[in-house]
Amino acid sequence: MSLFLCGDAGPSAVASVIFHKLGSAQEADDCVNRVLQMHPTVMKLDSQLPDELVYGRMGYLYALLFINKHFGDGKIPVQYIQQVCDIVIKSGENMAAHKQIQNQSPLMYEWYGEHYVGAAHGLAGIYYYLMQAMCNVSSEKVQSLVHPSVDYVNQLKFPSGNYPSCIGDKRDLLVHWCHGAPGVIYMLIQAYKIFKDERYLSAADQCTDISWHRGLLKKGYGICHGAAGNAYCFLAMYNLTHDLKYLYRACKFAEWCLDYGKHGCRTPDTPFSLFEGMAGTIYFLADLLDPTKAKFPAFEI
């Protein structure tokens, strides 16, 4: 699959950057070309490829953006990035029309038959990228399609400040980066930056509150559905507002993570991995050394 986290695009993109840093230009270009060879498959609307981040088109888009970040803009021609965004928008319009909800949300997406809300598999992760300037989505489409779709997600919020895992789920249950407020916050922060609407900032602050009160998870210490991933929402708000409250909360979560193995947490399937395991915890702890440069791995650009 042509994806960053769970496919061939990610290893090829990372390898291209490593070769680039080592000065091996030919090997770097070979890896970049392998990523670009996946482009035709991504662009097939009937390919059954979803649009979400972990297994879908947004994962491929991240690989393109990752390469440009480290090589400099232009290594991946802008038309490749625009084409991926265009096909994602077309897919979202088709799904909204199919479900007859265009008036509520002009863009809609599904994964495994559900309309997921969160960052990993759902709407929040997709809208976050479509609002990024480097994706070159026209301001007209951002205003007419993405903006009301973001508002639709925001109104799904529970009274607690958390968000459902999928549309129609009435259970205020999961507080993860993958499902819940700790992942939705990135969409809200980006919407606040673009649209200058205080509602998004207020909702983002509520995301940090729910993470603070319910974010120390027995599922583990990792990023996808663990304490380290939830703590990143504090760093995101700290970098936006410079309010020390958020940095304090991130540090308290770090203290908890440093007591690794003492909380009766479940051992993940891949205990040393970046998103499930110890590597993710270490990544978060390292980011605390310079929180102003903290970037959620394989998500923020």
Side-chain angles (χ1 to χ4, degrees):
M1 293 187 291
S2 307
L3 322 171
F4 190 86
L5 291 177
C6 298
D8 297 331
S12 294
V14 171
S16 74
V17 172
I18 293 172
F19 282 125
H20 175 63
K21 302 289 186 182
L22 293 173
S24 302
Q26 185 58 58
E27 288 86 350
D29 286 344
D30 289 344
C31 292
V32 171
N33 288 333
R34 281 201 289 273
V35 174
L36 293 179
Q37 287 169 6
M38 304 170 192
H39 192 78
T41 300
V42 174
M43 292 303 298
K44 292 180 180 177
L45 198 56
D46 59 352
S47 66
Q48 304 304 309
L49 186 68
D51 296 287
E52 47 87 85
L53 177 64
V54 177
Y55 298 108
R57 291 186 176 94
M58 282 304 172
Y60 179 73
L61 176 68
Y62 182 88
L64 303 183
L65 298 175
F66 179 84
I67 291 170
N68 271 357
K69 175 183 177 181
H70 291 281
F71 281 82
D73 290 340
K75 186 65 176 179
I76 301 294
V78 66
Q79 62 263 31
Y80 283 88
I81 294 169
Q82 288 178 325
Q83 286 169 2
V84 176
C85 291
D86 286 344
I87 200 71
V88 168
I89 288 173
K90 181 63 176 176
S91 175
E93 288 181 303
N94 288 350
M95 178 60 66
H98 177 70
K99 296 294 182 179
Q100 298 183 333
I101 60 169
Q102 305 99 308
N103 292 336
Q104 300 175 66
S105 180
L107 302 175
M108 183 53 58
Y109 301 91
E110 70 175 15
W111 183 72
Y112 274 88
E114 297 283 359
H115 302 296
Y116 283 92
V117 173
H121 303 297
L123 307 176
I126 295 170
Y127 301 155
Y128 168 82
Y129 280 108
L130 293 178
M131 288 186 287
Q132 295 290 331
M134 65 194 71
C135 290
N136 293 289
V137 178
S138 71
S139 58
E140 179 185 354
K141 288 184 177 179
V142 170
Q143 285 290 348
S144 65
L145 300 176
V146 182
H147 194 177
S149 299
V150 169
D151 283 341
Y152 178 78
V153 170
N154 195 28
Q155 60 87 32
L156 296 173
K157 179 176 57 179
F158 292 122
S160 69
N162 197 25
Y163 290 79
S165 60
C166 57
I167 294 174
D169 190 347
K170 304 301 183 182
R171 300 169 298 169
D172 183 355
L173 182 62
L174 301 180
V175 182
H176 306 164
W177 169 76
C178 49
H179 300 296
V184 175
I185 190 173
Y186 299 96
M187 178 200 76
L188 296 168
I189 288 175
Q190 187 63 19
Y192 173 69
K193 291 177 179 178
I194 297 296
F195 305 120
K196 312 300 181 185
D197 190 329
E198 292 289 331
R199 289 181 303 130
Y200 302 128
L201 183 62
S202 175
D205 181 60
Q206 285 184 283
C207 288
T208 64
D209 283 342
I210 195 72
S211 300
W212 175 246
H213 292 294
R214 292 167 53 188
L216 293 176
L217 305 177
K218 291 294 185 179
K219 286 190 172 184
Y221 302 83
I223 286 175
C224 184
H225 37 263
N230 288 352
Y232 265 101
C233 75
F234 305 135
L235 295 182
M237 280 295 280
Y238 172 70
N239 286 329
L240 178 69
T241 67
H242 306 293
D243 187 334
L244 290 175
K245 173 183 75 173
Y246 303 114
L247 185 58
Y248 169 81
R249 289 180 171 185
C251 289
K252 297 307 288 185
F253 268 54
E255 288 180 10
W256 193 83
C257 289
L258 284 169
D259 288 330
Y260 198 95
K262 298 180 181 179
H263 305 292
C265 293
R266 188 187 74 191
T267 301
D269 296 333
T270 50
F272 302 107
S273 73
L274 177 62
F275 265 64
E276 275 199 330
M278 188 181 298
T281 309
I282 295 170
Y283 192 103
F284 162 65
L285 295 173
D287 265 346
L288 271 183
L289 298 175
D290 189 354
T292 62
K293 296 182 179 178
K295 295 289 186 182
F296 196 100
F299 193 63
E300 291 183 276
I301 295 292

